[in-house]
Amino acid sequence: MELVKSISIENFLNRRKAIIDKIIQARELILEANKLMELNNLKDIKEILYIRKLDNKYREIVRNFLSEEGLAFFIKIIDGKGWEYLLREANILTFMDAETREEWQKALRTGNFPELTQEVVEETFKQLREDRFKMFEAGIIEVFQKLSFDFKTNQFLEFQDKLILNSLVNYDKRNKWLWFHENTCNHLNDLLRVMSILDNKPEPDSGREGFYKILNKHDKEWRYENEYFIIKWFQKGTAHLKFKRMDLVEGMNKILRKHLLMPVGIEGVKQV
């Protein structure tokens, strides 16, 4: 099952196995050296592996490397990096809606991810690709609920031509620092993705060049514009988004009408 260009799951997992085999060999050599140290009345090698310059988390990994539990934990870290690599290189993260992407990121942070085998990876990617259209529609609904619902009037069930975002930026007047809320930027990534797809354009890679990075490049301009909308942000933290392609907005509204039969109050953003 080819992922992108010359990268395949089978080849990647073969290289992963070679890496882990080397780690296990290194561990066995260290254990042999430890026996020689004990025979010569030297300290336990674990004392040597206790590196004080490391923070507590990684210090314990190094100290426990020689135990079976420590080795399993070490391999788990490698497999987490493996999943991150495969998801990124296969462009799986690109078409995930924000909620699904956050679920995967949380799983990778906590180590609660599937086993890294060819069968599991292929089945996982197959399921994600089959769910692609569902995630596409879910992305539209999430964007609407998080960015556009008029919680005061409780009337709108569609995107209008303009949105007011209540939580895009924080501004420190004293130090003149501006920073963007990553969660809102993730929903803007979804908005750009669904509009690109409706426009029959390639899906933008939000992992490499998402709105969090894009807006930080324009932070001193207080505005950003692409082919689909214009965003202007203000010191009080709000931002105005003006759509440029109402034909694509109508495409999103058709999907909303299919799923949202009744309004649901969502706090945070209002339409104007």
Side-chain angles (χ1 to χ4, degrees), residues 155-183:
Q155 292 176 349
F156 291 104
L157 278 176
E158 295 183 345
F159 285 106
Q160 305 296 305
D161 63 338
K162 185 185 292 184
L163 309 176
I164 295 180
L165 315 181
N166 284 340
S167 57
L168 179 63
V169 298
N170 273 351
Y171 182 70
D172 184 335
K173 292 183 179 180
R174 180 177 180 180
N175 296 300
K176 296 184 179 181
W177 290 343
L178 175 73
W179 63 95
F180 296 90
H181 290 274
E182 193 166 356
N183 286 340

Side-chain angles (χ1 to χ4, degrees), residues 1 92 95 122-137:
M1 176 181 177
I92 298 292
F95 60 76
E122 289 183 352
E123 183 59 33
T124 300
F125 280 15
K126 178 183 177 183
Q127 188 63 51
L128 286 170
R129 291 186 184 280
E130 288 177 353
D131 291 343
R132 183 173 180 169
F133 188 71
K134 292 180 182 178
M135 288 191 288
F136 167 72
E137 293 195 342

Side-chain angles (χ1 to χ4, degrees), residues 10-237:
E10 183 177 4
N11 290 340
F12 174 80
L13 292 178
N14 285 337
R15 293 194 295 271
R16 174 255 186 198
K17 182 179 183 301
I19 291 169
I20 291 177
D21 286 346
K22 293 292 186 183
I23 291 172
I24 292 174
Q25 291 173 19
R27 174 177 174 271
E28 291 173 349
L29 287 172
I30 293 173
L31 288 172
E32 289 181 14
N34 191 50
K35 290 180 180 178
L36 291 174
M37 291 180 68
E38 291 175 349
L39 289 173
N40 286 278
N41 297 314
L42 299 173
K43 287 186 176 181
D44 189 294
I45 202 167
K46 289 182 181 179
E47 296 300 320
I48 298 175
L49 290 175
Y50 187 81
I51 304 174
R52 296 184 181 278
K53 290 184 179 180
L54 296 177
D55 63 38
N56 290 335
K57 176 182 176 182
Y58 293 101
R59 186 185 299 165
E60 290 303 312
I61 292 173
V62 172
R63 288 191 73 185
N64 296 327
F65 175 57
L66 301 183
S67 69
E68 292 294 332
E69 183 180 6
L71 178 62
F73 185 54
F74 202 89
I75 294 173
K76 190 78 172 178
I77 292 174
I78 293 174
D79 286 352
K81 298 298 182 183
W83 272 111
E84 287 180 9
Y85 172 79
L86 290 173
L87 288 167
R88 183 177 65 251
E89 293 302 312
N91 291 325
I92 298 292
L93 291 173
T94 300
F95 60 76
M96 283 184 182
D97 58 281
E99 184 176 346
T100 304
R101 191 183 308 116
E102 174 56 29
E103 288 175 358
W104 266 96
Q105 290 173 343
K106 181 179 179 181
L108 293 172
R109 287 195 304 268
T110 60
N112 189 28
F113 47 80
E115 185 181 5
L116 188 62
T117 66
Q118 183 166 351
E119 180 181 0
V120 173
V121 172
E122 289 183 352
E123 183 59 33
T124 300
F125 280 15
K126 178 183 177 183
Q127 188 63 51
L128 286 170
R129 291 186 184 280
E130 288 177 353
D131 291 343
R132 183 173 180 169
F133 188 71
K134 292 180 182 178
M135 288 191 288
F136 167 72
E137 293 195 342
I140 294 176
I141 295 169
E142 282 183 35
V143 168
F144 177 72
Q145 292 179 329
K146 299 297 184 182
L147 299 182
S148 70
F149 201 86
D150 188 335
F151 65 94
K152 290 186 176 179
T153 65
N154 203 35
Q155 292 176 349
F156 291 104
L157 278 176
E158 295 183 345
F159 285 106
Q160 305 296 305
D161 63 338
K162 185 185 292 184
L163 309 176
I164 295 180
L165 315 181
N166 284 340
S167 57
L168 179 63
V169 298
N170 273 351
Y171 182 70
D172 184 335
K173 292 183 179 180
R174 180 177 180 180
N175 296 300
K176 296 184 179 181
W177 290 343
L178 175 73
W179 63 95
F180 296 90
H181 290 274
E182 193 166 356
N183 286 340
T184 305
C185 288
N186 285 338
H187 292 301
L188 289 173
N189 290 335
D190 276 350
L191 179 62
L192 178 60
R193 178 172 57 86
V194 296
M195 295 189 79
S196 298
I197 293 172
L198 289 171
D199 197 26
N200 296 314
K201 298 287 183 65
E203 299 175 19
D205 188 346
S206 59
R208 290 191 175 91
E209 194 65 15
F211 264 97
Y212 187 76
K213 295 180 180 178
I214 292 173
L215 296 183
N216 272 291
K217 292 179 181 178
H218 298 267
D219 60 343
K220 293 180 174 59
E221 301 170 25
W222 297 90
R223 76 186 304 276
Y224 169 76
E225 180 176 356
N226 60 27
E227 59 184 310
Y228 300 122
F229 47 78
I230 302 169
I231 304 176
K232 297 180 181 179
W233 49 91
F234 307 94
Q235 292 185 8
K236 62 180 181 179

